[in-house]
Amino acid sequence: MLDALPSRALISFRGVRKIYGVGEATVHALGGVDLDIEAGSFVAIMGASGSGKSTAMNIIGCLDRPSQGRFAFNGVDVTHIENDARALLRRNYLGFVFQGFNLLSRTTAAENVEMPLIYRGAKRAERRALAEQALNAVGLLGRENHVPSELSGGQQQRVAIARAIVTDPLVLLADEPTGNLDSQRSHDIMKLLRELNRERGITVIMVTHEEDMAAYATRRIVFADGMIAKDTVGAR
Amino acid sequence: MLWESVKLALRTVQRNVLRSILTLLGIVIGVASVIALVTIGQGATDKVTSDLSKLGSNILLVRPGGGALGPPGGNDSRSFTERDVNDLRDIPGIRAMSGSARSTKTVIFEGSGQSVEVTGAEPGYFETLDWAFTAGGPFSDSDNRGGETHCVVGQTVVNNIIRRDPAVGETIRVDGVPCEVVGVLAVKGNSAFGQDQDLTVIMPLRTFQRRVAGNTRISVITISVATPQDIQDVQAAVADSLRDTRKLPPNVPDDFTVRDMTEMAQALSSTTAVMTGLLGAVAAVSLLVGGIGIMNIMLVSVAERTREIGIRLAIGALGGQVLTQFLVEAIVLCLIGGLIGATLGAAIAFAGSTALGIPFSFDAGVAVLAVAFSGLIGVVFGYFPARRAASLDPIEALRHE
Ligand SMILES: Nc1ncnc2c1ncn2[C@@H]1O[C@H](COP(=O)(O)OP(=O)(O)OP(=O)(O)O)[C@@H](O)[C@H]1O
Ligand SMILES: [Mg+2]
């Protein structure tokens, strides 16, 4: 089941299992998944609730580790690396957009976007400039000094995207980025993700329940009971 | 990164002003008491030293008991006899001297009474200590020899008990013994320990021994030297004479001490230093309690901000960076407490010094040390909560409501 040679794909799962709980209460969130995602693709992950989508995303995002199997990032096996090494991977190559936005309250849009740069040790002026660029890219220029409670849901999600792309990541991970938004705003966000994918070459992996949104992707992976049930390339 | 952490910490404190202040109370009280106590203690020491040096460099005090400065005339040490004192009188270089004993007794005049420190002394006492009179004068040598019931009183005794002008010629009752007032002493004010030095009655030593104390003990011998340069010689001669009279074999140490005022000042300073140290220990306990308060609030803060920590970890903060952030927060909190405490302590010390009539001897070094120490408390008690924050699992933390 284990592949001796790591794949040359950007992201590669080999027999990845994620098991929660012990004894009777054991849940196999992922049941031995093999998956390769090439750099530059725009992937939509779909599937019923509880099918293991978020679990897979968390492993790809180096937030979680597989219980079994191997996970390689950019050709390097990172299954067993230290917490700090995973944090460095997140910092340098990954951008996250969460379903619940997860912005810091009472903190302005600009400060939220600057945060990843603070941990990279960027200078204040550089941070300002990059945050402004990122906010510009998501069409939020002029709202830098608003705190999340002063922004609409769509605007908050765009701040979250700006925060994810401000470090110029290789991969942008978005777990149900439009889950809280109405249809018009959802399409706006999708167009933004597609643009980031096409124009900046960022690999985008997103979870969605909606066909409309999945239609923006170039590849569609459907999960069922912790396994990949369907994997179609070249949608649209 | 560090500066960002400080800014973030200040912002967090600002957001929870009331909570922060309540948390800091322990530290504030600890630091304030350290600074107030040390400052007042130092002031008292300075006052004692300057009082003693005012007394002059030509005074010797002889007390029973060897070694350190203890309670005068303690029961276990052998007090002086009249012979001890009389044998000293011929030592060359002595200007004046007096044996004395004291005891706290009730002094009554026409129904109003009060506890007063009553001293029995020889007339040479006033000369030895250069005490001046505002009315009347000292009792005489024949008063002493004859055990006359005459006395000299301090101004507070006049103000509080006698309340009559002139006081000289009135008869007060000292422990039931009627005594005629023959002199009133010039005002001396409070001692370094806040004791009223004018609440005093001095009577002839014989009279005191026979009528008030009921024994012949002499607890202090006060000697003034004609020329300060001779003080060492006189000190040695006094010791020799006392050993002789008291028949101490050569291998037995002195059972009395002869000190000059500089030695007294040193001994008293070290006593105040011990006091200050003890009170400092009490303050340290309150700092410890303050530290536990800090730990508690930091743990609450970590729990409340679990989600925030999750976000920070998810976007690339290293464990160490989260640790730094929370540690800096605890330190900033403690330093704020330390600064407030230092200011408060200095203010209390100022008020206290003024009230006690002692100099305000604020030591900036002590304040800096106390504030730095509160910072250290931040490190010690902030570390555990910060470690907890840093070791959170990002996924778990993000899922936290
Ligand atoms: N921390 C956990 N402890 C125990 N079980 C868990 C945990 N996280 C996920 N699971 C279980 O793992 C399975 C997969 O969960 P996952 O969150 O990946 O589903 P999902 O496909 O993202 O669902 P949804 O569409 O509802 O978000 C579920 O059965 C879930 O109950
Ligand atoms: Mg999910």
Side-chain angles (χ1 to χ4, degrees):
Chain A
M1 190 163 53
L2 290 183
D3 195 337
L5 294 166
S7 158
R8 300 204 49 83
L10 180 61
I11 283 154
S12 139
F13 277 27
R14 286 297 174 270
V16 168
R17 290 173 186 273
K18 184 72 191 180
I19 303 160
Y20 288 112
V22 283
E24 292 284 293
T26 307
V27 176
H28 289 257
L30 291 178
V33 173
D34 295 320
L35 171 67
D36 284 311
I37 294 173
E38 304 299 330
S41 40
F42 185 169
V43 180
I45 296 183
M46 305 190 72
S49 184
S51 55
K53 305 183 293 295
S54 294
T55 307
M57 287 289 272
N58 290 338
I59 293 173
I60 295 170
C62 297
L63 283 167
D64 211 349
R65 307 168 193 266
S67 309
Q68 283 171 33
R70 276 160 58 182
F71 164 50
F73 184 84
N74 211 5
V76 181
D77 189 334
V78 293
T79 319
H80 299 296
I81 59 172
E82 300 272 312
N83 284 347
D84 272 357
R86 291 196 296 153
L88 286 173
L89 276 180
R90 295 199 290 272
R91 174 194 287 185
N92 293 325
Y93 304 112
L94 300 162
F96 265 96
V97 181
F98 305 94
Q99 179 170 0
F101 314 142
N102 275 336
L103 299 176
L104 293 189
S105 57
R106 293 190 283 189
T107 306
T108 65
E111 287 168 332
N112 264 292
V113 174
E114 278 181 44
M115 204 165 61
L117 300 171
I118 290 178
Y119 291 118
R120 290 180 149 211
K123 291 270 181 321
R124 192 184 161 76
E126 186 192 353
R127 290 195 322 248
R128 283 271 149 198
L130 286 172
E132 200 166 299
Q133 262 178 42
L135 282 166
N136 189 25
V138 299
L140 269 183
L141 218 52
R143 307 268 178 188
E144 295 96 327
N145 297 319
H146 291 234
V147 295
S149 59
E150 296 166 354
L151 295 169
S152 73
Q155 287 170 333
Q156 289 184 49
Q157 191 61 296
R158 286 197 235 179
V159 175
I161 293 172
R163 184 179 64 187
I165 62 171
V166 73
T167 57
D168 204 12
L170 278 180
V171 184
L172 181 66
L173 294 151
D175 195 348
E176 301 190 48
T178 60
N180 293 346
L181 304 179
D182 63 37
S183 160
Q184 181 53 48
R185 290 186 205 286
S186 298
H187 281 286
D188 289 348
I189 295 292
M190 282 307 127
K191 281 175 195 150
L192 178 59
L193 292 183
R194 185 171 62 191
E195 190 186 306
L196 289 168
N197 174 247
R198 283 187 184 164
E199 276 156 38
R200 295 175 58 170
I202 298 175
T203 306
V204 178
I205 305 172
M206 71 167 180
V207 172
T208 183
H209 286 285
E210 295 159 82
E211 285 294 333
D212 285 8
M213 305 304 137
Y216 285 87
T218 56
R219 178 176 172 190
R220 189 183 301 206
I221 299 170
V222 180
F223 275 79
D225 287 334
M227 299 293 286
I228 293 174
K230 218 165 109 189
D231 189 345
T232 43
V233 183
R236 250 199 106 91
Chain B
M1 179 63 211
L2 201 64
W3 176 234
E4 295 299 328
S5 300
V6 172
K7 275 205 301 203
L8 203 65
L10 286 173
R11 196 192 281 192
T12 313
V13 172
Q14 196 189 342
R15 276 180 191 169
N16 302 301
V17 177
L18 185 63
R19 189 167 95 177
S20 304
I21 287 174
L22 290 175
T23 305
L24 289 177
L25 226 49
I27 303 266
V28 169
I29 292 171
V31 171
S33 40
V34 167
I35 290 184
L37 291 172
V38 169
T39 306
I40 291 175
Q42 186 57 48
T45 310
D46 291 355
K47 165 88 169 158
V48 169
T49 315
S50 81
D51 280 1
L52 288 175
S53 67
K54 242 183 269 163
L55 269 179
S57 52
N58 60 337
I59 307 256
L60 290 174
L61 285 186
V62 191
R63 293 172 186 271
L69 190 74
N75 286 341
D76 49 341
S77 49
R78 200 172 132 206
S79 57
F80 301 113
T81 63
E82 215 173 302
R83 255 199 78 197
D84 289 336
V85 180
N86 286 335
D87 285 356
L88 298 177
R89 291 194 203 276
D90 296 331
I91 294 174
I94 290 183
R95 179 171 66 108
M97 60 172 286
S98 160
S100 62
R102 56 176 56 174
S103 168
T104 302
K105 295 293 176 194
T106 311
V107 171
I108 298 175
F109 181 74
E110 290 184 351
S112 68
Q114 198 175 340
S115 275
V116 177
E117 177 130 278
V118 178
T119 304
E122 298 168 68
Y125 195 67
F126 305 103
E127 198 190 337
T128 319
L129 297 172
D130 276 331
W131 279 358
F133 288 81
T134 49
F139 42 79
S140 68
D141 219 20
S142 63
D143 282 348
N144 185 36
R145 260 172 291 151
E148 295 292 333
T149 50
H150 287 173
C151 67
V152 165
V153 298
Q155 190 61 44
T156 308
V157 173
V158 175
N159 295 350
N160 291 9
I161 304 173
I162 303 177
R163 290 188 231 152
R164 195 166 290 182
D165 196 37
V168 173
E170 299 297 342
T171 301
I172 56 174
R173 283 179 171 273
V174 179
D175 199 28
V177 179
C179 279
E180 188 193 335
V181 175
V182 296
V184 177
L185 291 166
V187 173
K188 281 194 292 292
N190 282 1
S191 76
F193 302 109
Q195 200 182 2
D196 182 357
Q197 299 178 90
D198 299 313
L199 184 62
T200 181
V201 169
I202 302 169
M203 56 170 61
L205 179 61
R206 282 260 171 94
T207 319
F208 178 84
Q209 288 175 331
R210 282 185 203 155
R211 310 286 300 266
V212 179
N215 60 42
T216 57
R217 285 188 202 131
I218 294 170
S219 54
V220 182
I221 305 169
T222 315
I223 298 169
S224 76
V225 180
T227 38
Q229 287 85 336
D230 292 345
I231 199 154
Q232 236 91 57
D233 295 341
V234 175
Q235 195 168 357
V238 166
D240 283 348
S241 166
L242 280 172
R243 287 189 70 90
D244 215 35
T245 319
R246 288 157 85 84
K247 299 198 165 55
L248 295 181
N251 55 338
V252 171
D254 291 353
D255 62 352
F256 56 86
T257 44
V258 187
R259 291 174 190 272
D260 65 21
M261 282 301 158
T262 36
E263 281 178 277
M264 287 285 291
Q266 277 161 6
L268 275 169
S269 306
S270 66
T271 314
T272 22
V274 170
M275 287 282 285
T276 312
L278 284 175
L279 296 170
V282 173
V285 169
S286 110
L287 281 177
L288 185 78
V289 172
I292 293 169
I294 292 291
M295 179 141 104
N296 181 45
I297 209 67
M298 289 310 294
L299 284 172
V300 169
S301 180
V302 169
E304 274 179 357
R305 288 154 68 192
T306 300
R307 198 175 172 81
E308 175 194 325
I309 296 164
I311 295 170
R312 292 180 184 277
L313 288 170
I315 63 166
L318 300 179
Q321 290 172 318
V322 173
L323 184 111
T324 308
Q325 185 193 323
F326 278 87
L327 208 53
V328 164
E329 208 168 301
I331 294 169
V332 165
L333 211 57
C334 286
L335 285 179
I336 291 173
L339 285 172
I340 297 175
T343 315
L344 195 68
I348 292 171
F350 184 76
S353 306
T354 312
L356 291 172
I358 59 176
F360 175 61
S361 349
F362 180 72
D363 184 349
V366 172
V368 169
L369 211 67
V371 174
F373 187 71
S374 49
L376 189 70
I377 285 178
V379 176
V380 171
F381 290 92
Y383 184 75
F384 175 65
R387 260 286 302 279
R388 176 173 281 197
S391 60
L392 282 176
D393 180 58
I395 292 277
E396 295 292 327
L398 278 171
R399 217 173 262 147
H400 196 268
E401 282 315 308

